[in-house]
Amino acid sequence: MSIVYNTKPTVSLREFIPRVQAAIDGVDVEMAAQYIADAAITFARSTRILRETICVELISCQDSYRLDTPYRIIEVVSVRRQESDNCGFAGQYSPNLQAYVDDGVLYLDPMPTDANAGSVIEIEVAMVPSRNAVELPETLYEDWVEAVVQLALSQLYLLADTPWYSLGASREQHAWYKQSVISAKMANMTKHKPLNVRLSPRRTRGRR
């Protein structure tokens, strides 16, 4: 059985390129696109920021279900029993049901029986874009474009025999990227929304 998953909106990978070219004069479009694609994959893998919920209707005596998605699933984050008619609404965790994905196939343990056939489980998965993707999930551009660009720049600055080679610039971009990774991991703990930190005004003592 193949389960088709309808992905959320995407954005062209080329939307990221002007930000790279603004920092590095002379980098060609194809080179920039390749480094952006690699950066998007690394960022998604490191942070598990690309998460989606897939609803699976259980079939008796079937423990494998092919998931037809444009992205590569790297981890099953959680398994829940669906408790409403709308997929994606938080249900109860199913601690006794184990799930993992291998090469696009979801495996369940224990195998569903007649007793639970027809019930629906919600599988939350973490995904990464494919290496040949020309479209990336919109959230990477709307919420995390700086992180992707920072990592791409940190790698591009390390290219020897290029006019823009700079070890210092690479280290600076990578330091910023590491801060973005921390923010993304925190966002996973706050319903996957970017973390906005509001600082209180610093109090100063008046002159005596």
Side-chain angles (χ1 to χ4, degrees):
M1 177 181 180
S2 179
I3 298 172
V4 179
Y5 170 68
N6 296 320
T7 60
K8 291 183 178 180
T10 60
V11 63
S12 172
L13 183 148
R14 292 182 176 269
E15 293 294 326
F16 293 75
I17 293 177
R19 292 175 178 263
V20 172
Q21 292 179 321
I24 298 180
D25 185 26
V27 63
D28 65 72
V29 170
E30 295 306 319
M31 177 182 287
Q34 183 59 59
Y35 277 81
I36 289 168
D38 289 344
I41 292 170
T42 299
F43 177 69
R45 187 191 308 278
S46 299
T47 62
R48 304 298 200 262
I49 199 65
L50 295 180
R51 298 189 182 189
E52 298 296 348
T53 299
I54 301 174
C55 288
V56 179
E57 183 176 348
L58 300 181
I59 299 175
S60 180
C61 299
Q62 181 167 326
D63 63 354
S64 64
Y65 304 78
R66 175 161 292 281
L67 304 178
D68 187 7
T69 74
Y71 308 124
R72 190 157 64 89
I73 298 173
I74 57 174
E75 181 184 5
V76 173
V77 179
S78 67
V79 181
R80 297 174 182 266
R81 297 192 307 272
Q82 185 176 338
E83 295 188 340
S84 74
D85 293 334
N86 297 314
C87 182
F89 281 67
Q92 294 293 320
Y93 282 109
S94 297
N96 296 326
L97 180 61
Q98 303 299 315
Y100 70 95
V101 175
D102 183 28
D103 195 24
V105 178
L106 171 69
Y107 295 93
L108 301 177
D109 183 32
M111 181 182 294
T113 63
D114 290 340
N116 48 31
S119 60
V120 177
I121 58 172
E122 299 177 355
I123 307 292
E124 184 183 20
V125 296
M127 304 181 294
V128 298
S130 63
R131 290 199 174 276
N132 59 351
V134 295
E135 298 279 328
L136 295 176
E138 187 178 60
T139 185
L140 283 182
Y141 187 78
E142 295 294 332
D143 300 331
W144 306 107
V145 61
E146 295 297 337
V148 174
V149 171
Q150 286 159 0
L151 182 56
L153 288 175
S154 73
Q155 297 302 309
L156 283 165
Y157 279 128
L158 290 178
L159 293 179
D161 300 324
T162 61
W164 60 77
Y165 170 78
S166 173
L167 182 59
S170 174
R171 288 174 174 171
E172 182 180 47
Q173 291 292 333
H174 199 265
W176 290 341
Y177 167 73
K178 289 193 293 185
Q179 291 299 313
S180 296
V181 168
I182 293 173
S183 295
K185 289 180 177 180
M186 290 295 295
N188 271 338
M189 300 171 61
T190 57
K191 303 296 185 180
H192 318 302
K193 296 180 180 179
L195 183 64
N196 294 317
V197 180
R198 178 174 296 179
L199 300 179
S200 299
R202 181 179 180 182
R203 294 183 179 180
T204 58
R205 294 181 179 180
R207 295 182 180 178
R208 294 184 178 179

